[in-house]
Amino acid sequence: GSIQMSQPRIFPSSGFDILDLSEKFEEETLPGYLKERYYPVQIGETFKSQYQVITKLGFGSSSTVWLCRDLQ
């Protein structure tokens, strides 16, 4: 059989607040944030002697996503 490709989604460009890119936004300051639910990752920290934390990419209701450099 053939593989059917999905069409690209069209995302809205209005109806939401635009964040000021010159201001740093920290999710940890939101009212529902509970630091006890998350591992306290530090920039530069290395995991399993292989992955070094470079920066935070994003935050959600149950996790934080980090960009890491593979040292191997």
Side-chain angles (χ1 to χ4, degrees), residues 11-16:
F11 296 99
S13 59
S14 62
F16 49 85

Side-chain angles (χ1 to χ4, degrees), residues 1-62:
S2 64
I3 298 174
Q4 188 163 348
M5 300 290 287
S6 295
Q7 292 297 311
R9 292 182 179 181
I10 298 172
F11 296 99
S13 59
S14 62
F16 49 85
D17 294 333
I18 303 294
L19 297 175
D20 183 350
L21 297 178
S22 67
E23 293 181 27
K24 187 174 181 179
F25 178 77
E26 288 296 334
E27 295 87 351
E28 290 86 351
T29 62
L30 294 173
Y33 179 81
L34 298 173
K35 68 179 183 176
E36 304 82 36
R37 293 183 181 172
Y38 303 91
Y39 179 84
V41 174
Q42 300 294 316
I43 302 295
E45 185 174 359
T46 303
F47 291 92
K48 295 184 138 192
S49 300
Q50 183 175 355
Y51 303 104
Q52 183 179 30
V53 179
I54 304 300
T55 191
K56 180 170 49 175
L57 293 177
F59 167 92
S61 62
S62 62

